[in-house]
């Protein structure tokens, strides 16, 4: 969430109340992109014969030209302009202003000589000091007001630090790159895997490795700032609250950006810069991107992302012949993977698989991923859910994990779920899965059971499950079949809510 | 997108036709799609998925179409499942297979002639059909049915079946071969114990335990010994283990097994 910038903008130019006729001198301001405010506007003469008014004013900083905005006096309260005098120069004097007979208000505005104009000064608008509205009609010369980088204002860069969900695709199917929501950047923050594995299989743990060719545990962050180069007297700073996180130039590490200390001044070649965050050994930390004044150190804008080590892994197993993908290959027919994608967006470390990666002994790719997560990435919580044969594979995987606890290490299976689970001793196995996954802390079982007659597939209740829902007996699920139950919103939402309740990220 | 999809499909069909002609000798034994049977299978699948009342009649018609050649019908079902693109087709297809109640003999006799020549998709269906024989209740395979089949032609065991058995479980396959070829080169007790140790270490490693420093030389020593054994089924075991655990291989062992006189052994370790 951007901090400072918005608040600072609200504080701009509280002191310009009299700028219509008197203004407040600002002196020389640092050079910046857009013109500031004209001050000291005075009428220095009036030609009775011609009606010309002579003016003097202090030019706006960074102005390449100036123009006069004027309107009927009765419209001054609404700042309704009816005319312009274009290109009056930058001398600070003008002798030919003649709006015509009657009573008028006017002011001088700095511009860049092309199409951008600066401040119209401030006035009490609705009792609050605020910038006067710009002329939107521009009857004589067209300008667009830009106060974002005004030369006479406090430096208020547009600044943002954003993080993305962990990289995927090495074991389970890849998810699309997904940003952590603005509202989640501090609470709960961005999850990052502890980097204790050996992705490049060079015999060295990745946290101790310099460059890791196949590294997949760093979290992408994006720093955005405008302007890319701060004005004199300001700098952009990246800092961390402690060494639980390290910042690198590339997904494969590259060069370390934030070391050996906890802060570094950054330069930008453009408005965006991508870096990567590593969690070497666990623990949380904040990463702060700020613009600050030098040498005072006063922060004028900042953004913060909280990073925490992921402590769980979620395994999603589809039904027979369902191929995991994001977006789902069949958007209305792959509910298991829709659920996996939702959980990934929420920040869970999700691995989605074809259920056949789990053999009937539980061995295979999903098992290896969970074991690696527990042994090398500090994971201690496991969740597994699956549809149809994926339900059977859920049991097979849980059984193997439970049987090999002594070898694997410490972990708990916090949540499991079946969606019309069918045993998966082979692709031809059609028996309903009725076994409770061993040692699961919470098991949800959604199944359909319309009688299960000739050539019908059915799930069944699971003895010992914390939740058995026969959807056929519900008001909303009476027409669901084995082939549609995995897409029912009530089923998917039910499992989502339960998983979120029982599984920490 | 639709036009592009058609173009891609047309190109793939053309390419497949070309490859079929070019590789005619190799694919001569590959089962071919029978459009009429495939159409009947699809009709049954649709009836099952939609819960239609006529599904019983449709599957009976399919059974009659298979007539006495149930092996061909099973192959057509395998081909249908190879191309299934969703849970609907896969699970309804499995229901059909279950309902037609193929015996283990029918499954084995249907699959075996085509197992080695099948592409990855069809091979997957075939091996899953075999799994219904050797892992009817899941878990570790039980190869006793295959042992009775191999014993019928002990001197010329079907390579496709042997390959499959070692692929699924080298340990269970070795145990079967020891029972079948027990009259061959005998295992000394010490060697048997060493083999038991190796299998224990391999099981622990499969469960997630890293190799310990003393493990590796012990494992390599036993595998080295097996790779020189006069019994081809033991050398095949060593080859299967090395394929699963390349970090256990030594250059000398790999070289030896790659030049083994037994084709199965050679093929298993060949890149």
């Amino acid at each position: 969430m951007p901090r400072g910038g918005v608040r600072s903008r609200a504080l701009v130019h509280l002191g310009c109340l009299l700028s219509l006729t008197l203004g407040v001198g600002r002196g020389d301001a640092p050079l910046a992109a857009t013109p500031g405010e004209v001050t000291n506007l005075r009428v220095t003469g009036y030609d009775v014969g011609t009606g010309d008014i002579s003016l003097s004013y202090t030019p706006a900083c960074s102005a390449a030209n100036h123009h006069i905005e004027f309107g009927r006096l009765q419209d001054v309260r609404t700042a309704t302009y009816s005319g312009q005098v274009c290109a009056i120069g930058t001398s600070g004097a003008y002798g030919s202003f003649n709006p015509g007979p009657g009573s008028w208000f006017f002011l001088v505005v700095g511009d860049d000589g092309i199409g951008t104009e600066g401040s119209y000064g401030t006035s009490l608008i609705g009792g609050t000091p605020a910038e006067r509205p710009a002329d939107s009609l521009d009857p004589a010369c067209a300008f667009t007001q830009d106060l974002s980088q005004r030369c006479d204002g406090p430096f208020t860069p547009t600044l943002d630090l954003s993080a993305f969900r962990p990289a995927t695709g090495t074991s389970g199917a890849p998810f699309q790159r997904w940003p952590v929501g603005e509202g989640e950047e501090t609470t709960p923050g961005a999850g990052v895997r502890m980097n204790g594995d050996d992705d490049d299989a060079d015999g060295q743990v990745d946290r101790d490795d310099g460059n890791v060719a196949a590294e997949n545990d760093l979290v992408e962050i994006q720093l955005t700032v405008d302007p890319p180069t701060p004005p004199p007297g300001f700098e952009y700073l990246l800092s961390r609250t402690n060494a639980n996180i390290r910042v690198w130039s590339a997904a494969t590490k590259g060069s370390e950006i934030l070391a050996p200390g906890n802060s570094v001044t950054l330069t930008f070649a453009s408005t965006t810069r991508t870096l990567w965050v590593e969690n070497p050994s666990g623990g949380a930390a904040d990463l702060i991107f700020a613009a600050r004044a030098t040498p005072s150190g006063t922060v004028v804008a900042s953004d913060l992302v909280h990073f925490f080590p992921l402590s769980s892994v979620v395994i999603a197993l589809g039904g027979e012949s369902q191929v995991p993908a994001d977006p789902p290959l069949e958007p209305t027919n792959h509910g298991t993977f829709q659920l996996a994608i939702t959980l990934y967006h929420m920040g869970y470390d999700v691995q989605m698989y074809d259920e056949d990666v789990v053999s009937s002994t539980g061995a295979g790719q999903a098992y290896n991923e969970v074991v690696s997560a527990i042994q090398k990435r500090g994971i201690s919580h496991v969740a597994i859910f699956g549809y149809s044969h994926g339900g059977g594979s859920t049991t097979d995987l849980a059984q193997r994990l439970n049987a090999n606890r002594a070898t694997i290490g410490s972990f708990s299976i916090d949540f499991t779920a079946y969606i019309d689970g069918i045993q998966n001793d082979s692709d031809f196995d059609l028996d309903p899965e009725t076994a409770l996954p061993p040692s699961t802390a919470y098991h949800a079982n959604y199944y359909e059971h319309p009688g299960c007659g000739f050539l019908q597939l059915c799930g069944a209740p699971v003895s010992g499950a914390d939740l058995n829902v026969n959807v056929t007996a519900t008001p909303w699920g009476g027409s669901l079949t084995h082939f549609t139950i995995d897409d029912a919103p009530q089923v998917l939402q039910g499992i989502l809510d339960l998983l979120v309740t029982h599984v920490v990220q | 997108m639709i036009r592009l999809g058609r173009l891609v499909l047309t190109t793939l069909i053309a390419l497949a036709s070309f490859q079929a002609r070019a590789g005619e000798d190799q694919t001569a034994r590959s089962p071919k799609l029978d459009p009429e049977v495939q159409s009947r299978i699809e009709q049954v699948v649709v009836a099952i998925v939609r819960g239609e009342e006529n599904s019983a009649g449709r599957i009976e018609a399919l059974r009659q179409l298979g007539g006495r050649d149930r092996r061909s019908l099973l192959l057509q079902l395998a081909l249908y499942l190879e191309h299934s693109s969703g849970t609907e087709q896969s699970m309804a297809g499995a229901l059909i297979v279950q309902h037609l109640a193929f015996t283990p003999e029918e499954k084995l006799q249907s699959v075996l002639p085509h197992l080695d020549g099948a592409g990855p998709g069809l091979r997957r269906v075939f091996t899953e059909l075999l799994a219904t024989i050797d892992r009817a209740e899941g878990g570790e395979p039980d190869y006793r049915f295959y042992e009775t089949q191999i014993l019928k032609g002990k001197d010329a065991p079907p390579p496709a079946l042997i390959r499959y058995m070692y692929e699924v479980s080298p340990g269970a396959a070795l145990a079967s071969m020891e029972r079948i070829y027990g009259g061959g080169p005998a295992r000394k007790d010490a060697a048997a114990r060493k083999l038991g140790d190796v299998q224990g270490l391999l099981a622990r490693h499969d469960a997630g335990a890293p190799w310990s420093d003393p493990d590796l030389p012990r494992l390599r020593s036993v595998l080295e010994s097996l790779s020189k054994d006069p019994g081809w089924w033991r050398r095949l075991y060593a080859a299967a283990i090395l394929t699963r655990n390349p970090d256990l291989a030594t250059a000398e062992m790999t070289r030896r097994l790659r030049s083994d006189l037994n084709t199965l052994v050679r093929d298993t370790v060949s890149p």
Side-chain angles (χ1 to χ4, degrees):
Chain A
M1 183 188 305
R3 290 178 174 182
V6 173
R7 283 201 300 271
S8 299
R9 278 188 206 118
L11 298 173
V12 169
H13 289 186
L14 282 176
C16 298
L17 187 61
L18 304 176
S19 61
L20 175 63
T21 55
L22 297 174
V24 175
R26 293 189 174 280
D28 293 332
L31 287 177
T34 60
E37 177 186 346
V38 168
T39 55
N40 298 318
L41 175 61
R42 297 176 193 280
V43 174
T44 56
Y46 176 65
D47 186 326
V48 178
T50 61
D52 286 354
I53 299 169
S54 298
L55 311 171
S56 71
Y57 59 93
T58 301
C61 58
S62 287
N65 213 329
H66 292 79
H67 58 278
I68 300 172
E69 297 280 352
F70 61 94
R72 291 285 179 186
L73 189 58
Q74 64 266 27
D75 295 330
V76 68
R77 286 189 60 178
T78 57
T80 303
Y81 309 100
S82 58
Q84 292 172 302
V85 179
C86 307
I88 65 170
T90 56
S91 67
Y94 183 67
S96 308
F97 176 48
N98 190 343
S103 298
W104 303 87
F105 77 93
F106 62 92
L107 52 95
V108 177
V109 180
D111 61 66
D112 66 352
I114 303 170
T116 299
E117 63 187 354
S119 171
Y120 283 50
T122 55
S123 181
L124 280 175
I125 298 175
T128 305
E131 277 286 327
R132 292 190 185 89
D135 182 359
S136 58
L137 298 175
D138 289 340
C141 34
F143 288 104
T144 301
Q145 190 181 50
D146 181 0
L147 303 179
S148 64
Q149 305 302 327
R150 57 186 297 174
C151 51
D152 55 354
F155 179 53
T156 55
T158 304
L159 175 151
D160 185 57
L161 171 63
S162 56
F164 291 82
R165 296 304 182 197
T168 55
T170 306
S171 183
F175 292 95
Q176 294 185 80
R177 183 171 171 263
W178 190 264
V180 176
E182 280 288 326
E184 298 168 302
E185 286 181 346
T186 52
T187 308
V192 54
R193 300 187 193 107
M194 195 181 93
N195 202 15
D197 55 5
D198 181 17
D199 291 324
D200 56 355
D202 64 352
Q204 191 167 20
V205 176
D206 290 344
R207 75 167 71 92
D208 303 323
D209 214 344
N211 256 304
V212 182
E215 180 59 78
N216 58 17
D217 298 306
L218 273 53
V219 159
E220 180 184 352
I221 59 170
Q222 204 166 68
L223 297 85
T224 307
V225 67
D226 190 18
T229 303
F234 292 92
E235 66 182 5
Y236 295 134
L237 196 77
L238 185 66
S239 56
R240 62 185 175 187
T241 51
N242 59 55
N244 287 339
I245 55 173
R246 298 173 78 177
V247 180
W248 299 89
S249 64
T252 53
K253 289 200 174 184
S255 55
E256 186 157 16
I257 300 294
L258 194 52
N262 285 331
S263 64
V264 64
T265 303
L266 289 182
T267 56
F268 287 77
S270 66
T271 55
T272 301
R273 192 166 169 185
T274 297
L275 299 172
W276 299 81
V277 170
E278 178 189 28
N279 186 311
S281 305
D286 293 343
L287 189 66
I288 303 122
F289 178 38
R292 70 175 187 182
T294 54
S296 70
T298 303
V299 172
V300 296
S302 70
D303 195 10
L304 178 152
V305 175
H306 176 69
F307 287 89
F308 66 92
L310 289 161
S311 65
S312 68
V313 63
V314 177
I315 304 296
L317 302 166
E320 197 62 54
S321 298
Q322 291 186 338
V323 179
D326 178 16
L329 299 181
E330 294 181 49
T332 60
N333 191 27
H334 284 184
T336 313
F337 302 136
Q338 293 280 15
L339 180 54
I341 292 165
T342 300
L343 287 163
Y344 177 71
H345 290 179
M346 292 171 71
Y348 284 92
D349 190 3
V350 186
Q351 303 286 334
M352 59 177 176
Y353 297 99
D354 181 321
E355 86 292 348
D356 287 329
V357 306
V358 181
S359 75
S360 61
T361 63
Q365 201 175 341
Y367 175 83
N368 295 341
E369 176 64 19
V370 175
V371 171
S372 172
I374 294 166
Q375 294 181 336
K376 298 168 182 170
R377 302 205 307 263
I379 295 298
S380 54
H381 304 276
V382 180
I384 315 166
F385 63 89
Y387 157 59
S388 188
H389 273 163
S393 294
T394 296
T395 305
D396 296 335
L397 178 57
Q399 283 174 340
R400 186 173 178 86
L401 288 168
N402 189 55
N404 292 331
R405 278 181 182 281
T407 303
I408 296 170
S410 177
F411 68 96
S412 58
I413 300 177
D414 292 353
F415 180 82
T416 50
Y418 302 155
I419 305 174
D420 225 29
I422 303 291
Q423 292 179 24
N424 196 12
D425 296 334
S426 77
D427 288 358
F428 296 92
D429 196 341
L430 299 170
D431 298 331
E433 182 55 86
T434 56
L436 182 70
S439 80
T440 183
Y442 189 100
H443 183 71
N445 178 39
Y446 284 84
Y447 65 100
E448 48 85 39
H449 200 90
C452 297
F454 182 70
L455 289 175
Q456 276 187 322
L457 272 169
C458 285
V462 172
S463 178
D466 297 275
L467 178 72
N468 273 302
V469 180
N470 177 3
V471 301
T472 312
T474 66
W476 47 266
S479 63
L480 293 174
T481 69
H482 182 76
F483 304 110
T484 56
I485 185 174
D486 62 318
D487 306 309
Q490 296 88 343
V491 173
L492 297 176
Q493 189 64 49
I495 292 177
L496 177 72
D497 292 344
L498 289 167
L499 189 147
V500 169
T501 301
H502 290 91
V503 184
V504 297
Q505 288 186 0
Chain B
M1 286 298 284
I2 291 170
R3 282 185 189 164
L4 180 63
R6 282 182 185 151
L7 180 63
V8 171
L9 189 61
T10 308
T11 308
L12 285 172
I13 290 169
L15 191 60
S17 304
F18 171 76
Q19 287 176 334
R21 284 194 299 277
E24 204 159 343
D25 289 345
Q26 292 177 342
T27 58
R29 299 177 68 190
S30 297
K32 298 283 186 285
L33 285 166
D34 181 326
E36 186 185 352
V37 180
Q38 292 295 317
S39 170
R40 294 287 182 88
I41 294 171
E42 177 67 13
Q43 287 172 10
V44 182
V45 165
V46 169
I48 291 171
V49 172
R50 291 180 181 167
E52 293 173 1
E53 290 180 357
N54 65 352
S55 53
R58 288 195 183 280
I59 200 166
E60 199 48 43
L62 183 63
R63 186 201 303 273
Q64 287 173 11
L65 187 67
R68 291 182 180 176
D69 194 0
R70 283 168 53 85
R71 284 165 51 180
S72 292
L73 179 56
L74 182 55
L75 285 176
Q76 289 303 314
L77 282 161
L79 288 168
Y80 179 85
L81 290 167
E82 178 196 3
H83 298 103
S84 68
S85 58
T87 308
E88 290 80 358
Q89 289 176 318
S90 296
M91 297 304 274
L95 272 169
I96 298 171
V97 171
Q98 184 194 56
H99 186 77
L100 294 176
F102 293 98
T103 65
E105 284 85 357
E106 285 175 323
K107 290 175 188 171
L108 191 61
Q109 297 312 318
S110 302
V111 165
L112 218 46
H114 306 290
L115 187 57
D116 276 351
L122 187 55
R123 183 176 174 82
R124 161 85 196 171
V125 181
F126 285 158
T127 56
E128 288 298 296
L129 272 169
L130 294 178
T132 64
I133 302 172
D134 59 62
R135 278 158 289 163
E137 298 303 323
E140 293 298 327
D142 178 348
Y143 288 154
R144 281 176 296 185
F145 174 75
Y146 303 145
E147 289 176 30
T148 61
Q149 303 298 311
I150 294 169
L151 279 168
K152 291 176 187 171
K154 190 177 163 185
D155 294 335
L161 180 58
I162 303 294
R163 212 187 314 270
Y164 163 79
M165 292 166 72
Y166 275 85
E167 187 180 282
V168 173
S169 172
L174 178 61
S176 280
M177 297 306 131
E178 291 290 357
R179 284 191 288 272
I180 295 168
Y181 297 100
R187 305 298 299 157
K188 293 176 183 172
D189 285 349
R193 269 200 307 278
K194 280 185 182 175
L195 184 61
D197 287 348
V198 164
Q199 291 180 330
L201 288 173
L202 289 170
R204 278 190 54 225
H205 185 64
D206 284 347
W211 301 125
S212 69
D213 285 343
D215 290 346
L216 283 172
R218 278 171 64 199
L219 283 162
R220 287 189 180 124
S221 165
V222 175
L223 290 171
E224 179 78 24
S225 167
L226 284 167
S227 72
K228 296 175 188 168
D229 196 284
W232 60 264
W233 61 94
R234 294 173 192 144
R235 300 198 303 278
L236 184 54
Y237 174 79
I241 295 302
L242 293 186
T243 304
R244 288 176 169 218
N245 303 278
D247 46 348
L248 296 179
T250 63
E252 174 59 22
M253 232 189 307
T254 305
R255 187 200 57 73
R256 183 184 310 117
L257 292 168
R258 279 185 183 165
S259 57
D260 199 286
L261 291 175
N262 184 285
T263 309
L264 281 168
V265 176
R266 224 167 38 232
D267 288 352
T268 300
V269 287
S270 293

